[in-house]
PDB file of all heavy atoms in Angstrom:
ATOM      1  N   ILE S 490     -21.811  17.071  -1.528  1.00  0.00           N
ATOM      2  CA  ILE S 490     -21.675  15.701  -2.018  1.00  0.00           C
ATOM      3  C   ILE S 490     -22.639  15.482  -3.174  1.00  0.00           C
ATOM      4  O   ILE S 490     -23.791  15.906  -3.138  1.00  0.00           O
ATOM      5  CB  ILE S 490     -21.961  14.707  -0.884  1.00  0.00           C
ATOM      6  CG1 ILE S 490     -20.958  14.901   0.247  1.00  0.00           C
ATOM      7  CG2 ILE S 490     -21.909  13.270  -1.385  1.00  0.00           C
ATOM      8  CD1 ILE S 490     -21.289  14.105   1.485  1.00  0.00           C
ATOM      9  N   SER S 491     -22.156  14.795  -4.198  1.00  0.00           N
ATOM     10  CA  SER S 491     -23.003  14.454  -5.335  1.00  0.00           C
ATOM     11  C   SER S 491     -23.545  13.038  -5.126  1.00  0.00           C
ATOM     12  O   SER S 491     -22.808  12.128  -4.748  1.00  0.00           O
ATOM     13  CB  SER S 491     -22.184  14.518  -6.630  1.00  0.00           C
ATOM     14  OG  SER S 491     -22.984  14.204  -7.748  1.00  0.00           O
ATOM     15  N   TRP S 492     -24.860  12.861  -5.379  1.00  0.00           N
ATOM     16  CA  TRP S 492     -25.510  11.586  -5.088  1.00  0.00           C
ATOM     17  C   TRP S 492     -26.150  10.995  -6.331  1.00  0.00           C
ATOM     18  O   TRP S 492     -26.662  11.720  -7.184  1.00  0.00           O
ATOM     19  CB  TRP S 492     -26.602  11.763  -4.025  1.00  0.00           C
ATOM     20  CG  TRP S 492     -26.104  12.240  -2.698  1.00  0.00           C
ATOM     21  CD1 TRP S 492     -26.080  13.529  -2.238  1.00  0.00           C
ATOM     22  CD2 TRP S 492     -25.562  11.432  -1.651  1.00  0.00           C
ATOM     23  NE1 TRP S 492     -25.552  13.581  -0.980  1.00  0.00           N
ATOM     24  CE2 TRP S 492     -25.224  12.301  -0.580  1.00  0.00           C
ATOM     25  CE3 TRP S 492     -25.328  10.068  -1.491  1.00  0.00           C
ATOM     26  CZ2 TRP S 492     -24.668  11.845   0.611  1.00  0.00           C
ATOM     27  CZ3 TRP S 492     -24.778   9.603  -0.310  1.00  0.00           C
ATOM     28  CH2 TRP S 492     -24.453  10.485   0.726  1.00  0.00           C
ATOM     29  N   LEU S 493     -26.140   9.657  -6.416  1.00  0.00           N
ATOM     30  CA  LEU S 493     -26.945   8.936  -7.405  1.00  0.00           C
ATOM     31  C   LEU S 493     -28.309   8.630  -6.803  1.00  0.00           C
ATOM     32  O   LEU S 493     -29.335   8.811  -7.456  1.00  0.00           O
ATOM     33  CB  LEU S 493     -26.239   7.644  -7.825  1.00  0.00           C
ATOM     34  CG  LEU S 493     -24.841   7.817  -8.445  1.00  0.00           C
ATOM     35  CD1 LEU S 493     -24.238   6.460  -8.770  1.00  0.00           C
ATOM     36  CD2 LEU S 493     -24.896   8.691  -9.694  1.00  0.00           C
ATOM     37  N   VAL S 494     -28.331   8.128  -5.571  1.00  0.00           N
ATOM     38  CA  VAL S 494     -29.549   8.006  -4.772  1.00  0.00           C
ATOM     39  C   VAL S 494     -29.294   8.797  -3.496  1.00  0.00           C
ATOM     40  O   VAL S 494     -28.423   8.445  -2.708  1.00  0.00           O
ATOM     41  CB  VAL S 494     -29.876   6.536  -4.437  1.00  0.00           C
ATOM     42  CG1 VAL S 494     -31.133   6.465  -3.580  1.00  0.00           C
ATOM     43  CG2 VAL S 494     -30.048   5.714  -5.716  1.00  0.00           C
ATOM     44  N   LYS S 495     -30.012   9.871  -3.330  1.00  0.00           N
ATOM     45  CA  LYS S 495     -29.745  10.826  -2.255  1.00  0.00           C
ATOM     46  C   LYS S 495     -29.543  10.114  -0.914  1.00  0.00           C
ATOM     47  O   LYS S 495     -30.375   9.309  -0.489  1.00  0.00           O
ATOM     48  CB  LYS S 495     -30.922  11.799  -2.151  1.00  0.00           C
ATOM     49  CG  LYS S 495     -30.706  12.948  -1.170  1.00  0.00           C
ATOM     50  CD  LYS S 495     -29.815  14.037  -1.750  1.00  0.00           C
ATOM     51  CE  LYS S 495     -29.798  15.269  -0.867  1.00  0.00           C
ATOM     52  NZ  LYS S 495     -29.008  16.351  -1.448  1.00  0.00           N
ATOM     53  N   ARG S 496     -28.389  10.402  -0.278  1.00  0.00           N
ATOM     54  CA  ARG S 496     -28.015   9.934   1.049  1.00  0.00           C
ATOM     55  C   ARG S 496     -27.692   8.438   1.118  1.00  0.00           C
ATOM     56  O   ARG S 496     -27.256   7.948   2.159  1.00  0.00           O
ATOM     57  CB  ARG S 496     -29.103  10.271   2.090  1.00  0.00           C
ATOM     58  CG  ARG S 496     -29.338  11.760   2.285  1.00  0.00           C
ATOM     59  CD  ARG S 496     -30.249  12.030   3.475  1.00  0.00           C
ATOM     60  NE  ARG S 496     -29.641  11.559   4.725  1.00  0.00           N
ATOM     61  CZ  ARG S 496     -28.689  12.206   5.390  1.00  0.00           C
ATOM     62  NH1 ARG S 496     -28.222  13.363   4.923  1.00  0.00           N
ATOM     63  NH2 ARG S 496     -28.206  11.710   6.516  1.00  0.00           N
ATOM     64  N   TRP S 497     -27.859   7.715  -0.007  1.00  0.00           N
ATOM     65  CA  TRP S 497     -27.629   6.272   0.043  1.00  0.00           C
ATOM     66  C   TRP S 497     -26.537   5.800  -0.918  1.00  0.00           C
ATOM     67  O   TRP S 497     -25.697   4.998  -0.539  1.00  0.00           O
ATOM     68  CB  TRP S 497     -28.940   5.510  -0.238  1.00  0.00           C
ATOM     69  CG  TRP S 497     -29.856   5.572   0.933  1.00  0.00           C
ATOM     70  CD1 TRP S 497     -30.804   6.520   1.191  1.00  0.00           C
ATOM     71  CD2 TRP S 497     -29.884   4.677   2.043  1.00  0.00           C
ATOM     72  NE1 TRP S 497     -31.431   6.277   2.388  1.00  0.00           N
ATOM     73  CE2 TRP S 497     -30.886   5.137   2.937  1.00  0.00           C
ATOM     74  CE3 TRP S 497     -29.185   3.528   2.378  1.00  0.00           C
ATOM     75  CZ2 TRP S 497     -31.180   4.498   4.131  1.00  0.00           C
ATOM     76  CZ3 TRP S 497     -29.476   2.868   3.561  1.00  0.00           C
ATOM     77  CH2 TRP S 497     -30.459   3.357   4.426  1.00  0.00           C
ATOM     78  N   VAL S 498     -26.553   6.254  -2.146  1.00  0.00           N
ATOM     79  CA  VAL S 498     -25.543   5.836  -3.139  1.00  0.00           C
ATOM     80  C   VAL S 498     -24.834   7.082  -3.644  1.00  0.00           C
ATOM     81  O   VAL S 498     -25.398   7.859  -4.419  1.00  0.00           O
ATOM     82  CB  VAL S 498     -26.173   5.059  -4.315  1.00  0.00           C
ATOM     83  CG1 VAL S 498     -25.072   4.586  -5.275  1.00  0.00           C
ATOM     84  CG2 VAL S 498     -26.972   3.868  -3.800  1.00  0.00           C
ATOM     85  N   GLN S 499     -23.613   7.286  -3.187  1.00  0.00           N
ATOM     86  CA  GLN S 499     -22.845   8.479  -3.519  1.00  0.00           C
ATOM     87  C   GLN S 499     -22.229   8.355  -4.906  1.00  0.00           C
ATOM     88  O   GLN S 499     -21.857   7.267  -5.355  1.00  0.00           O
ATOM     89  CB  GLN S 499     -21.746   8.667  -2.464  1.00  0.00           C
ATOM     90  CG  GLN S 499     -20.979   9.976  -2.556  1.00  0.00           C
ATOM     91  CD  GLN S 499     -20.017  10.132  -1.391  1.00  0.00           C
ATOM     92  OE1 GLN S 499     -20.206   9.547  -0.337  1.00  0.00           O
ATOM     93  NE2 GLN S 499     -18.985  10.922  -1.581  1.00  0.00           N
ATOM     94  N   ASP S 500     -22.078   9.467  -5.589  1.00  0.00           N
ATOM     95  CA  ASP S 500     -21.440   9.490  -6.910  1.00  0.00           C
ATOM     96  C   ASP S 500     -19.924   9.326  -6.761  1.00  0.00           C
ATOM     97  O   ASP S 500     -19.319   9.825  -5.813  1.00  0.00           O
ATOM     98  CB  ASP S 500     -21.768  10.817  -7.601  1.00  0.00           C
ATOM     99  CG  ASP S 500     -21.308  10.835  -9.054  1.00  0.00           C
ATOM    100  OD1 ASP S 500     -21.111   9.745  -9.635  1.00  0.00           O
ATOM    101  OD2 ASP S 500     -21.137  11.935  -9.608  1.00  0.00           O
ATOM    102  N   LYS S 501     -19.336   8.584  -7.704  1.00  0.00           N
ATOM    103  CA  LYS S 501     -17.882   8.355  -7.745  1.00  0.00           C
ATOM    104  C   LYS S 501     -17.375   7.818  -6.407  1.00  0.00           C
ATOM    105  O   LYS S 501     -16.402   8.298  -5.837  1.00  0.00           O
ATOM    106  CB  LYS S 501     -17.144   9.630  -8.128  1.00  0.00           C
ATOM    107  CG  LYS S 501     -17.485  10.165  -9.516  1.00  0.00           C
ATOM    108  CD  LYS S 501     -16.728  11.445  -9.827  1.00  0.00           C
ATOM    109  CE  LYS S 501     -17.090  11.959 -11.222  1.00  0.00           C
ATOM    110  NZ  LYS S 501     -18.510  12.279 -11.388  1.00  0.00           N
ATOM    111  N   ALA S 502     -18.063   6.816  -5.904  1.00  0.00           N
ATOM    112  CA  ALA S 502     -17.740   6.251  -4.593  1.00  0.00           C
ATOM    113  C   ALA S 502     -17.775   4.726  -4.672  1.00  0.00           C
ATOM    114  O   ALA S 502     -18.338   4.141  -5.596  1.00  0.00           O
ATOM    115  CB  ALA S 502     -18.717   6.759  -3.534  1.00  0.00           C
TER     116      ALA S 502
END
Side-chain angles (χ1 to χ4, degrees):
I490 299 172
S491 181
W492 298 96
L493 301 178
V494 179
K495 187 78 170 183
R496 297 189 62 78
W497 286 90
V498 183
Q499 188 174 336
D500 188 21
K501 298 179 180 61

